[in-house]
Amino acid sequence: MLKQHLSFKLSQKLSPQQIQLMKLIQLPTQAFEQRLKQELEENPALETGKEDLETTSDDYDDVYDDASDNETINTEDINIDDYLSDDEIPDYRTKANNYSSDDEEKSVPYAAGISFNQYLINQLNTFYLTDDEWNIAEFLVGSVDESGYIRRPITDIMDDLAFTQNVYTDEATITKILSIVQDLDPPGVGARSLEECLIIQLERKDITPSIELATEILKKSFEHFTKKHYQKLIQKHNITEAELKNAIGEIERLNPKPGGSYSGNNRMTEHVVPDFAIRITEGELELTLNGRNAPELHVSREYSNMLKGYKEAKDKSKSQKDTVMFIKQKLDAAKWFIDAIRQRQQTLFITMNSIMQYQKEYFLTGDERNLRPMILKDIADEIGMDVSTVSRVANSKYVDTPYGTKLIKEYFSESMKNEQGEDVSTKEIKKILETVIQNETKKKPLTDDKLAAILKEKGYPIARRTVAKYREQLNIPVARMRKEI
C-alpha cells in the first residue's frame, strides 16, 4: 500500500560572511594575529594605523555603477600598474599591527635544536656498524615513536626491511641491533613495552640492593607491581615492607616516556596568551580585552583614489572597467574585514563580561566553592546570542585573573541539588571530592562507595557511579592504584 506524506523543512543557511565572522570569533589571540597578518598580505587595500577616510561606501557604489555603463576610456588617465606593482612592497604589508614598544611580547617560542630522530641518528655515528647493520639501526630509529618506544613486532620490521630497504636479515640480527639502539640516550629509548623501558633504565644505574630488587620485581612480578599487590610481592620475594618501599621508590623515579623528555623534538612550546584580564579595583571587577585583539585598520587611500580617478575619467574602456571592478572587490573585502574585527571585539567583550558578572563572587574571592552552576545557555540567554557563539568564546580563550590564567570553559559546570534543595555546581562537588582523596590514608585509600558515603554526610547525595565519573574527570585513579606502602 502506497502512502503519501507531505512534510515541510525549515532551514537557515549562514552566509559566507557570517561563517567567516564565526571563525574569527573562535580564534584565540595568537591565531587571530596570524589571520590578520594573512589578510594584510593578501589584500593590499587593507592597511594598519590611524587614517580616517572621507570616502564612503556610496562613492564605491557610484564608481561600480559607472564601471558597468561605459566601454571606452583613455587608459593613460590611470596607470593601474603603479598601484599593483610588486617591485616595492609598502611597509604596511609587512606588519601585522602597530603596537607600541611597551606592549607584551608577541613572539611564539619554539623548542630549539634538532629533531628527536636526528638526535638518535647522530648517536649511532659513534658505533662501528656494517652497511646492513647501519640500515637496520637507522630503520629501527625511524620506528621510534614520540614517547620513545618501538611498538612494532620484530617480524613486521624484518618484512619491511626486505620490501622497502632491500635488506634481508633475520630476527636475531634485528634483536642484536635493537640492543644497540637501546643503548642510546635518553635511557629507555627503543623499548617495546613499559616493562622493558623501566628495566633498561634500571640496568643503566649503579647497582644497589634497591636497584637489584626493583629489577627483579619488574622481571618476575610486573603484574603484581602494576596492580599494587604489595603483600604478594613481599611474600613472593621474601622481603620486608621497608625493602619493598625502597625498591618501588627507585621505579617511581624512572621515566615511563623517555621520548617525551627530549626537548629537541621541534614541537611548539605551549605559550598561552591571555585573551582577557580581570583585575579587582577598589572591590570592583575590571575586565579588559588584550589589545592585540583590537588592531587599528583602515582602507587604503591609494586604492580609494584609484576609484576616484576612474570616476572622474571621461572615457572608460572595458579593460580598465575590469581592473576597477577588481579594486572595488578588494576595497569591499577590506571594509568587511574591519567591520568583522569590530564585531569580534564586541562579541568577545560582551560574552566575557557576562561570564565575569555571573561568577562575580568567585572572581572576587578566588574560592572555587563560590563558582555558580553555569551552562552555555545561561550566558547565551543573558546576552541574546546563540549558544554556539558563546561556545566559540569559551572553548578557545584564556583569561588572566588574580588567581592564575585559566581556560574560560573551566568556569562552566552543570548543577545538582544538595540536601537543602539548593543548586550547587558540580565543580564545587569535584573540589570537595579532590580534597577528601588528598587527605585519605594512602595505605588504605577510599573506595568509590566510601567516597559517596562521605559526600552524602557533607550534604551532597550522589550515587557511586557519579563519584566514579567525577573522579575520572579529575584524572584520579581507582583506590587500588592510589595505594601506597
Side-chain angles (χ1 to χ4, degrees):
M1 181 178 178
L2 295 175
K3 291 185 179 180
Q4 288 184 326
H5 296 275
L6 182 63
S7 63
F8 295 93
K9 185 177 180 182
L10 181 63
S11 62
Q12 181 180 4
K13 292 185 178 180
L14 294 175
S15 68
Q17 288 81 4
Q18 288 174 311
I19 294 172
Q20 288 299 315
L21 176 59
M22 289 298 102
K23 289 181 178 179
L24 281 176
I25 289 173
Q26 188 168 346
L27 295 176
T29 299
Q30 286 181 313
F32 169 71
E33 287 185 316
Q34 291 299 316
R35 175 69 178 85
L36 174 64
K37 183 177 180 180
Q38 178 187 355
E39 191 71 21
L40 285 166
E41 290 175 346
E42 292 179 355
N43 189 353
L46 183 68
E47 295 183 358
T48 59
K50 294 180 179 180
E51 185 174 354
D52 295 325
L53 298 178
E54 298 177 357
T55 307
T56 65
S57 59
D58 293 336
D59 294 329
Y60 300 144
D61 292 338
D62 291 342
V63 174
Y64 183 85
D65 293 338
D66 289 343
S68 304
D69 298 335
N70 300 284
E71 295 295 335
T72 60
I73 188 174
N74 181 358
T75 54
E76 294 180 357
D77 287 355
I78 300 178
N79 187 356
I80 301 299
D81 291 337
D82 289 345
Y83 302 96
L84 302 181
S85 173
D86 290 328
D87 293 339
E88 294 182 5
I89 302 177
D91 289 342
Y92 69 83
R93 294 189 64 185
T94 63
K95 298 177 182 177
N97 40 45
N98 63 336
Y99 300 118
S100 59
S101 57
D102 59 346
D103 269 330
E104 57 187 299
E105 177 62 39
K106 295 183 286 297
S107 61
V108 182
Y110 286 81
I114 59 176
S115 68
F116 184 33
N117 181 271
Q118 188 59 49
Y119 174 65
L120 298 175
I121 291 291
N122 289 349
Q123 293 180 67
L124 283 178
N125 290 321
T126 63
F127 292 84
Y128 176 76
L129 301 170
T130 65
D131 289 345
D132 280 352
E133 288 174 338
W134 173 265
N135 288 332
I136 295 170
E138 188 177 30
F139 192 86
L140 288 170
V141 166
S143 300
V144 174
D145 65 19
E146 58 185 18
S147 296
Y149 288 81
I150 294 178
R151 303 186 188 274
R152 304 180 61 213
I154 295 293
T155 53
D156 288 356
I157 292 175
M158 182 177 67
D159 291 340
D160 281 353
L161 280 167
F163 285 117
T164 65
Q165 308 294 319
N166 286 326
V167 175
Y168 298 91
T169 184
D170 52 34
E171 292 185 38
T173 303
I174 295 175
T175 303
K176 173 189 169 185
I177 302 302
L178 177 61
S179 65
I180 295 175
V181 172
Q182 291 175 346
D183 281 340
L184 305 178
D185 287 328
V189 70
R192 290 162 289 178
S193 65
L194 175 61
E195 178 183 356
E196 186 176 40
C197 177
L198 299 177
I199 291 172
I200 290 171
Q201 293 179 60
L202 287 174
E203 290 176 343
R204 298 270 289 266
K205 290 178 175 286
D206 294 333
I207 297 177
T208 66
S210 295
I211 294 292
E212 285 185 318
L213 177 57
T215 305
E216 184 181 348
I217 288 172
L218 291 178
K219 287 181 176 180
K220 298 180 180 180
S221 309
F222 186 71
E223 186 175 353
H224 288 330
F225 166 73
T226 56
K227 292 183 177 179
K228 296 197 173 184
H229 293 161
Y230 294 138
Q231 287 304 316
K232 291 183 179 179
L233 289 173
I234 289 173
Q235 293 171 6
K236 182 175 181 179
H237 295 272
N238 193 25
I239 54 177
T240 65
E241 186 174 297
E243 289 173 326
L244 177 61
K245 188 173 184 179
N246 291 336
I248 289 177
E250 292 290 349
I251 297 173
E252 288 177 342
R253 283 191 284 271
L254 303 176
N255 186 358
K257 292 184 178 181
S261 65
Y262 181 70
S263 62
N265 53 12
N266 281 351
R267 281 198 226 160
M268 184 174 171
T269 304
E270 186 177 8
H271 182 68
V272 173
V273 175
D275 305 273
F276 306 92
I278 293 177
R279 295 291 177 262
I280 302 174
T281 306
E282 297 180 358
E284 293 296 326
L285 296 175
E286 185 179 277
L287 174 67
T288 55
L289 176 66
N290 190 322
R292 292 159 63 174
N293 290 283
E296 292 175 341
L297 300 172
H298 64 266
V299 175
S300 167
R301 181 178 292 277
E302 287 181 332
Y303 267 61
S304 60
N305 286 342
M306 289 166 68
L307 282 186
K308 287 181 180 179
Y310 172 83
K311 184 178 180 180
E312 294 167 0
K314 294 180 181 179
D315 299 320
K316 300 178 177 67
S317 70
K318 177 71 166 62
S319 61
Q320 191 154 353
K321 179 188 72 173
D322 293 340
T323 304
V324 171
M325 293 282 284
F326 168 80
I327 295 171
K328 183 186 181 298
Q329 183 184 23
K330 292 298 182 183
L331 286 169
D332 286 343
K335 288 172 59 189
W336 175 86
F337 191 75
I338 293 170
D339 288 340
I341 287 179
R342 288 173 183 161
Q343 290 184 57
R344 177 182 181 274
Q345 292 171 225
Q346 186 179 28
T347 302
L348 294 185
F349 192 87
I350 289 174
T351 305
M352 187 63 227
N353 187 63
S354 178
I355 294 171
M356 181 182 73
Q357 296 302 330
Y358 203 97
Q359 302 289 5
K360 185 174 182 178
E361 190 175 352
Y362 162 75
F363 284 115
L364 285 173
T365 62
D367 189 344
E368 289 192 4
R369 290 173 296 182
N370 290 332
L371 277 171
R372 296 172 56 192
M374 180 178 69
I375 59 176
L376 295 173
K377 191 174 184 301
D378 293 330
I379 301 302
D381 290 345
E382 189 169 311
I383 63 178
M385 292 185 182
D386 193 82
V387 171
S388 63
T389 303
V390 178
S391 175
R392 283 178 169 86
V393 175
N395 286 335
S396 58
K397 308 291 187 302
Y398 286 84
V399 58
D400 181 26
T401 75
Y403 325 108
T405 299
K406 295 186 179 181
L407 192 61
I408 295 170
K409 74 174 181 180
E410 293 180 7
Y411 298 121
F412 287 83
S413 63
E414 296 179 347
S415 65
M416 67 163 292
K417 301 281 186 184
N418 61 13
E419 286 189 337
Q420 287 74 40
E422 300 168 334
D423 283 333
V424 293
S425 169
T426 53
K427 272 192 170 294
E428 178 181 337
I429 299 172
K430 288 178 185 177
K431 187 67 178 178
I432 295 171
L433 176 63
E434 190 175 26
T435 302
V436 170
I437 292 175
Q438 285 175 349
N439 295 329
E440 70 185 357
T441 302
K442 294 305 178 184
K443 283 193 174 184
K444 195 175 182 181
L446 299 167
T447 63
D448 290 342
D449 283 321
K450 290 181 179 178
L451 289 171
I454 292 172
L455 287 172
K456 186 175 182 181
E457 290 175 7
K458 293 180 178 291
Y460 304 98
I462 58 176
R464 184 205 63 79
R465 64 178 179 274
T466 307
V467 170
K469 182 178 75 171
Y470 291 167
R471 177 179 52 72
E472 289 171 359
Q473 289 173 351
L474 291 167
N475 292 319
I476 297 174
V478 295
R480 175 173 53 80
M481 299 305 294
R482 301 198 304 271
K483 186 177 180 182
E484 296 179 4
I485 301 176

